[in-house]
């Protein structure tokens, strides 16, 4: 990996590591909601005779806590700085540098995701392990695939948010686009409920036609042993590549029509 | 020439409301055919009123904005097509924007820039050492950028723009909002960088003291067009701005006519007279004045650059 990429990843990590109280508050909130979601899911499963569309209790617990942990890693509804920098005109300084802003933002966000893994991911997972009975994969390879799947999910999350941020070149105010992405990604990723509860046609549409399941459901399915893990991971990598390519194309178009706001 | 521009033009499309639902397109030329030729090692003042097209020119020369027409070459490169290559050879400071990382200490921004610009460690260390000494960065190098004062941040911005050893330094209002001491520090630093022959400097500013202290050549732009390209003295000559003698007298001004000078004002009940030098030297006029009237006090005032520029902007 080139040194500049590594330096940007480290910088992203350090940037977010400075906000310790925010990290603590965010982790605490994730844990509280983890408990609530766990109780709801387990009640639904119990009333359905112990299985929720094929998920047993331990699998549901893993699905919930993995989701709570990954929430801050994929940063689903938190927009990237780029939209604000386009709005204020500060994006001009990103373009003065001898590096494509797409990579600057990607590596910085990977650094941020790394910090979130160490804090916002591990603590809720530990809470799940301590207070509930989780499904733990027996094959060590599955753990490696879960880690790779989380990295792919972080890149997919970045791609989506960067694309939304780039709409600022046309819209200036991206709040609508951010809200739409937030709503679609939380439902479509399986954050609120496992996608298996949806009708089959809708599941097919989501998995085949959108990147949303790659944000969360894909990793959960690999972890609880549903579906072919390599195929799921390949799907995530496919969406990561597609989104990054789309970001690159949109950015090229945006910078050609660039109007720097405010002199 | 390290910077060349021929017929450089940038049009923006603006939509204006003309009815309840109708909007009309208007094309506004922010830069309207600018020609520039700047030699290596020059320090050039690029000034103009707000909205004249200064920043837009700079953005085209740095490859950020695509010109609507015309041609530009900087360091022998085409700015837009070769933006990334050019970025390694130029430094840019936009006074109202920051290129530093808000949440990180200044020193970490510098180290990050070293990797981004792929600067050898020894070169980076030497340049940083020099900037630290000249700009007194030591006191706040470990402070996060968000906690720096404007003056401290600007010193950081200038350092950040120079660490990769750029051939051209584009500065857009680097002294905006700074206090007297910080302005002085920035000017002295730029004078030092120029004296060392390290970079060609293009400076846009509204603070004409920056121009007086730093720039031998001045390009004035208004409504997207170059209206003056030459030295400050040439500008004064062109707009007829003259040095002035202000004489305080012991008696009332008798209404004399002095060769080579013109009375521009009589104030203070006739005890103060202002004479604009119009061909004669200050010495000649003072000697003639001393013979004619009893003098109490005397001063020679240089023409105010602000007045000349204001007249130029108003197209007097």
């Amino acid at each position: 990996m080139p040194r500049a990429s590594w330096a940007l990843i480290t910088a992203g990590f350090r940037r977010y590591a400075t906000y310790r109280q925010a990290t603590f508050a965010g982790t605490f909130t994730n844990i509280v909601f983890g408990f609530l979601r766990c109780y709801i899911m387990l009640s639904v499963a119990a009333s359905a005779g112990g299985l929720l569309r094929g998920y047993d209790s331990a699998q549901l617990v893993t699905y919930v806590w993995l989701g709570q942990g990954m929430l801050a890693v994929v940063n689903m509804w938190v927009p990237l700085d780029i939209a604000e920098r386009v709005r204020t005109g500060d994006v001009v300084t990103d373009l003065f540098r001898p590096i494509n802003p797409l990579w600057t933002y990607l590596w910085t966000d990977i650094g941020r995701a790394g910090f979130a893994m160490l804090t916002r991911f591990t603590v809720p997972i530990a809470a799940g392990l301590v207070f509930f009975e989780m499904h733990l994969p027996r094959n060590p390879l599955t753990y490696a695939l879960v880690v790779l799947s989380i990295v792919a999910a972080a890149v997919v999350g970045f791609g989506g948010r960067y694309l939304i941020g780039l709409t600022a070149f046309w819209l200036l105010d991206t709040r609508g686009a951010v809200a739409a992405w937030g709503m679609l990604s939380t439902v479509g990723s399986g954050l609120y409920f496992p996608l298996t509860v949806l009708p089959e046609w809708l599941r097919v549409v989501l998995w085949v036609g959108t990147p949303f399941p790659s944000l969360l459901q894909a990793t959960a399915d690999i972890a609880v042993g549903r579906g072919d893990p390599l195929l799921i991971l390949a799907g995530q990598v496919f969406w990561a590549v597609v989104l990054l390519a789309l970001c690159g194309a949109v950015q090229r178009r945006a910078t050609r029509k660039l109007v720097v706001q405010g002199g | 020439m390290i910077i060349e521009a021929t017929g450089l033009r940038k049009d923006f499309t603006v939509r204006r409301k003309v009815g309840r639902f109708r909007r009309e397109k208007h094309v506004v030329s922010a830069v309207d055919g600018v020609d520039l030729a700047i030699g290596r090692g020059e320090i050039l003042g690029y000034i103009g009123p707000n909205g004249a097209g200064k920043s837009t020119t700079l953005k085209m020369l740095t490859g950020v904005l695509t010109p609507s027409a015309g041609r530009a070459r900087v360091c022998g490169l085409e700015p837009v097509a070769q933006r990334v290559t050019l970025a390694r050879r130029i430094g840019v400071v936009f006074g109202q924007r920051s290129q530093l990382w808000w949440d990180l200490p200044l020193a970490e921004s510098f180290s990050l820039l070293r990797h981004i610009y792929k600067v050898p460690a020894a070169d980076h260390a030497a340049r940083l050492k020099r900037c630290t000494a000249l700009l007194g960065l030591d006191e706040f190098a470990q402070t996060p950028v968000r906690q720096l004062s404007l003056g401290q941040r600007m010193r950081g911005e200038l350092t950040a723009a120079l660490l990769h050893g750029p051939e051209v330094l584009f500065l857009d209002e680097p002294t905006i909002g700074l206090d007297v001491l910080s302005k002085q520090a920035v000017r002295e630093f730029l004078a030092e960088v120029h004296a060392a022959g390290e970079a060609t400097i293009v400076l846009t500013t509204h603070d004409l003291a920056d121009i007086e202290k730093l720039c031998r050549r001045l390009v004035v732009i208004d409504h997207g067009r170059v209206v003056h390209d030459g030295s400050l003295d040439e500008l004064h000559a062109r707009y007829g701005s003259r040095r002035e003698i202000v004489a305080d007298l012991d008696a009332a001004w008798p209404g004399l006519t002095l060769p080579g000078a013109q009375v521009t004002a009589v104030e203070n009940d006739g005890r103060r007279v202002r004479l604009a030098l119009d061909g004669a030297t200050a010495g000649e006029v003072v000697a003639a004045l001393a013979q004619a009237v009893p003098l109490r006090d005397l001063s020679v005032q240089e023409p105010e650059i602000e007045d000349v520029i204001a007249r130029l902007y108003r197209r007097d």
Side-chain angles (χ1 to χ4, degrees):
Chain A
M1 180 181 287
R3 282 194 172 175
S5 314
W6 184 245
L8 285 162
I9 291 174
T10 317
F13 186 98
R14 290 183 59 85
R15 263 186 80 180
Y16 287 86
T18 56
Y19 299 107
R20 290 178 197 162
Q21 283 158 327
T23 305
F24 176 79
T27 310
F28 179 76
T29 312
N30 290 152
I31 291 172
V32 170
F33 274 91
F35 272 95
L36 293 177
R37 289 184 57 216
C38 235
Y39 291 137
I40 292 168
M41 287 295 162
L42 292 176
S43 305
V44 173
S47 62
L51 283 180
L52 176 67
R53 287 282 184 123
Y55 277 85
D56 64 26
S57 301
Q59 285 176 318
L60 279 173
V61 169
T62 299
Y63 152 79
V64 167
W65 287 104
L66 202 56
Q68 288 307 105
M70 282 178 67
L71 200 49
V73 178
V74 297
N75 232 11
M76 230 173 270
W77 49 64
V78 182
L80 284 162
D81 294 348
I82 185 150
E84 181 62 10
R85 290 176 69 78
V86 171
R87 197 182 65 74
T88 58
D90 284 349
V91 69
V92 75
T93 60
D94 297 335
L95 296 167
F96 287 146
R97 297 197 181 117
I99 183 168
N100 186 333
L102 174 62
W103 304 126
T104 316
Y105 280 90
L106 172 66
W107 298 129
T108 311
D109 200 54
I110 293 294
R112 178 205 57 73
F115 176 69
M117 273 299 280
L118 283 187
T119 52
R120 304 279 299 267
F121 179 82
T122 50
V123 181
I125 293 288
L129 280 169
V130 171
F131 294 103
F132 297 89
E133 195 188 323
M134 277 175 103
H135 168 95
L136 295 173
R138 292 205 186 115
N139 186 348
L141 190 64
T142 308
Y143 288 93
L145 287 175
V146 166
V147 171
L148 288 176
S149 169
I150 293 174
V151 174
V155 177
V156 171
F158 165 82
R161 290 182 299 132
Y162 196 77
L163 215 46
I164 296 297
L166 288 177
T167 62
F169 280 106
W170 288 270
L171 303 174
L172 277 190
D173 184 349
T174 58
R175 280 176 293 186
V178 168
W181 170 261
M183 197 269 286
L184 290 172
S185 61
T186 44
V187 174
S189 67
L191 177 70
Y192 294 144
F193 43 78
L195 295 182
T196 180
V197 305
L198 295 173
E200 194 179 350
W201 68 267
L202 189 52
R203 266 185 284 153
V204 171
V205 168
L206 281 173
W207 278 101
V208 176
T210 79
F212 301 125
S214 296
L215 290 168
L216 254 176
Q217 187 70 57
T219 312
D221 282 354
I222 293 174
V224 301
R226 290 174 67 96
D228 179 349
L230 287 176
L231 190 64
I232 295 171
L233 184 60
Q236 284 183 291
V237 172
F238 166 79
W239 278 112
V241 172
V242 166
L243 282 172
L244 289 181
L246 208 55
C247 287
V250 173
Q251 183 179 273
R252 270 193 298 280
R253 203 177 163 82
T255 48
R256 266 204 299 272
K257 70 154 293 265
L258 177 69
V259 175
V260 177
Q261 307 295 328
Chain B
M1 290 292 147
I2 196 158
I3 300 175
E4 281 176 285
T6 322
L8 202 60
R9 183 185 177 94
K10 181 70 188 175
D11 297 330
F12 291 111
T13 306
V14 181
R15 288 182 175 79
R16 292 193 191 125
K17 215 172 164 182
V18 287
R20 190 173 284 252
F21 300 109
R22 275 190 56 226
R23 277 163 188 262
E24 250 176 28
K25 272 188 184 180
H26 288 268
V27 175
V28 177
S29 297
V31 173
D32 191 6
V34 162
D35 297 326
L36 270 180
I38 303 170
R40 200 173 275 276
E42 267 195 79
I43 177 162
L44 174 104
Y46 192 61
I47 68 166
N50 289 326
K54 306 181 294 293
S55 300
T56 305
T57 313
L58 255 51
K59 282 165 194 154
M60 286 193 280
L61 294 178
T62 50
V64 171
L65 288 182
T66 312
S68 307
R71 191 172 156 273
R73 284 192 92 74
V74 178
C75 303
L77 301 170
E78 205 176 306
V80 174
Q82 295 168 289
R83 182 178 62 79
V84 173
T85 316
L86 180 63
R88 292 188 197 284
R89 296 174 61 180
I90 61 171
V92 187
V93 173
F94 268 40
Q96 304 193 61
R97 318 247 179 247
S98 180
Q99 60 173 318
L100 304 167
W101 280 262
W102 197 243
D103 310 276
L104 296 178
L106 196 54
E108 283 191 36
S109 278
F110 295 153
S111 136
L112 200 46
L113 286 169
R114 175 172 93 77
H115 293 296
I116 289 176
Y117 283 88
K118 296 183 180 154
V119 184
D123 292 354
H124 173 86
R127 288 185 194 122
L128 184 57
K129 193 176 166 193
R130 185 158 169 268
C131 290
T132 303
L134 286 170
L135 291 166
L137 302 176
D138 264 340
E139 296 165 39
F140 49 87
Q142 297 307 323
T143 309
V145 172
R146 61 171 188 268
Q147 290 172 10
L148 298 180
S149 72
L150 185 59
Q152 290 172 331
R153 184 173 68 73
M154 192 46 66
R155 291 173 210 203
E157 299 282 355
L158 282 169
T159 306
L162 281 166
L163 284 176
H164 55 284
E167 292 165 52
V168 183
L169 192 56
F170 290 101
L171 305 167
D172 191 356
E173 301 189 41
T175 54
I176 193 165
L178 299 188
D179 64 37
V180 179
L181 285 177
S182 297
K183 273 185 188 176
Q184 215 168 14
V186 168
R187 284 175 196 146
E188 281 168 10
F189 176 71
L190 292 176
E192 176 82 26
V193 169
H194 178 239
E198 289 169 37
T200 304
I201 300 176
V202 179
L203 169 71
T204 89
T205 181
H206 287 298
D207 190 333
L208 297 171
D210 292 347
I211 302 285
E212 279 183 306
K213 295 209 163 65
L214 292 168
C215 306
R216 289 205 192 119
R217 182 176 162 202
L218 185 65
V219 171
V220 186
I221 178 173
D222 192 15
H223 291 90
R225 289 170 183 271
V226 173
V227 291
H228 174 82
D229 185 350
S231 68
L232 253 180
D233 291 341
E234 283 166 353
L235 189 69
H236 284 306
R238 181 174 157 191
Y239 282 87
S241 51
R242 298 166 292 185
R243 294 167 82 198
E244 205 174 53
I245 290 177
V246 181
D248 287 317
L249 314 173
D250 272 334
W253 172 246
L256 299 171
T257 307
L258 298 174
Q262 188 188 357
V263 177
T264 54
V266 180
E267 301 161 348
N268 201 13
D269 293 331
R271 286 172 185 270
R272 170 175 284 181
V273 64
R274 290 178 179 273
L275 296 143
L277 298 181
D278 207 4
T281 65
E284 288 164 356
V285 175
V286 170
L289 203 58
Q291 277 189 346
V293 285
L295 287 175
R296 175 174 293 194
D297 200 1
L298 197 77
S299 65
V300 180
Q301 292 183 352
E302 295 297 323
E304 288 286 333
I305 181 177
E306 258 97 357
D307 293 341
V308 187
I309 300 292
R311 287 168 61 187
L312 188 58
Y313 289 176
R314 285 197 301 264
R315 298 184 176 190
D316 281 0

